[in-house]
Amino acid sequence: KNEVEQSPQNLTAQEGEFITINCSYSVGISALHWLQQHPGGGIVSLFMLSSGKKKHGRLIATINIQEKHSSLHITASHPRDSAVYICAVVGGTSYGKLTFGQGTILTVHP
Amino acid sequence: GAGVSQSPSNKVTEKGKDVELRCDPISGHTALYWYRQSLGQGLEFLIYFQGNSAPDKSGLPSDRFSAERTGGSVSTLTIQRTQQEDSAVYLCASSQSDSAWEKLFFGSGTQLSVL
């Protein structure tokens, strides 16, 4: 079993739909990153979380440390949101050593 | 430069040859990370540098892999005697420090193909 599990692996939505991507982890962490990777490879850091909730535009990320679970929500989805979303956790004492989930491929149709 | 720069963007090499991949982090960023993204394998950590501290090499898959960071800035990842399973995208990232709170900035990667 991977230390970081994402679900779903693939997600297809219609423009305007509310989207949720889940991330569960089995190790103690000091922080969790949500990353976005567009076709062509570029990776962008969306959020870093250690507790609670963060919001940026149409994106919302939450984390529950006790349940070892994080979610990324996209409101009013748009075709430009189509990308791979990757959850990555930072171990308690190894700040540079990320353990990555396998990614969720999101496709938003117009 | 404004972002993390990696070169070359593509590298094709023959099995058994050595390759060097370069990463130029954002100016002033003290933490630098190397990751690998293999087809079907996802992303994996290779090595990270923080300032003048000894690097964390725990993710390097074999002793054919090594990395150095000169003057706290540019880093070079060297793969000796390349094998076909080394084919992957090698990604570099930097952050202002190695705190878990720091945002990561990724380069666009080097696509390595070992024939």
Side-chain angles (χ1 to χ4, degrees):
Chain A
K1 190 179 189 301
N2 293 331
E3 292 182 339
V4 183
E5 293 276 355
Q6 285 185 238
S7 63
Q9 291 187 0
N10 284 278
L11 182 54
T12 302
Q14 288 298 126
E15 183 172 358
E17 287 183 356
F18 181 84
I19 287 162
T20 296
I21 300 170
N22 295 299
C23 175
S24 296
Y25 52 92
S26 57
V27 296
I29 69 168
S30 56
L32 180 146
H33 294 259
W34 280 103
L35 309 171
Q36 180 192 56
Q37 185 171 31
H38 277 286
I43 295 179
V44 174
S45 174
L46 298 174
F47 293 105
M48 291 174 300
L49 294 164
S50 62
S51 64
K53 176 179 172 178
K54 285 191 176 180
K55 184 177 190 291
H56 182 69
R58 294 180 294 106
L59 301 178
I60 302 166
T62 64
I63 189 168
N64 185 317
I65 295 291
Q66 286 74 29
E67 295 186 3
K68 293 188 167 61
H69 181 268
S70 176
S71 293
L72 177 68
H73 306 286
I74 305 175
T75 62
S77 59
H78 190 276
R80 66 175 174 265
D81 296 326
S82 298
V84 179
Y85 292 83
I86 303 165
C87 167
V89 300
V90 183
T93 57
S94 303
Y95 293 137
K97 188 175 176 180
L98 295 184
T99 302
F100 297 87
Q102 76 275 32
T104 294
I105 303 171
L106 172 65
T107 305
V108 182
H109 293 294
Chain B
V4 178
S5 177
Q6 289 189 247
S7 61
S9 55
N10 279 281
K11 177 73 177 177
V12 181
T13 190
E14 293 179 351
K15 179 181 170 181
K17 300 282 190 186
D18 298 352
V19 295
E20 284 190 352
L21 312 179
R22 177 188 167 105
C23 172
D24 202 341
I26 293 172
S27 179
H29 280 194
T30 61
L32 185 149
Y33 316 89
W34 284 98
Y35 304 101
R36 178 168 73 173
Q37 189 170 34
S38 307
L39 196 62
Q41 292 274 64
L43 279 154
E44 59 178 331
F45 163 82
L46 296 177
I47 184 171
Y48 98 93
F49 299 87
Q50 167 53 31
N52 296 320
S53 302
D56 180 340
K57 304 179 183 180
S58 58
L60 294 178
S62 79
D63 58 9
R64 295 186 296 105
F65 289 70
S66 62
E68 62 178 22
R69 189 178 186 193
T70 52
S73 181
V74 172
S75 178
T76 303
L77 178 69
T78 301
I79 309 173
Q80 296 179 306
R81 305 181 303 281
T82 51
Q83 302 294 313
Q84 288 182 331
E85 62 261 28
D86 300 334
S87 297
V89 176
Y90 289 82
L91 289 156
C92 175
S94 72
S95 63
Q96 235 170 347
S97 78
D98 72 341
S99 162
W101 316 111
E102 293 291 342
K103 185 173 182 176
L104 291 172
F105 294 84
F106 285 80
S108 53
T110 294
Q111 172 76 63
L112 175 66
S113 300
V114 182
L115 305 179

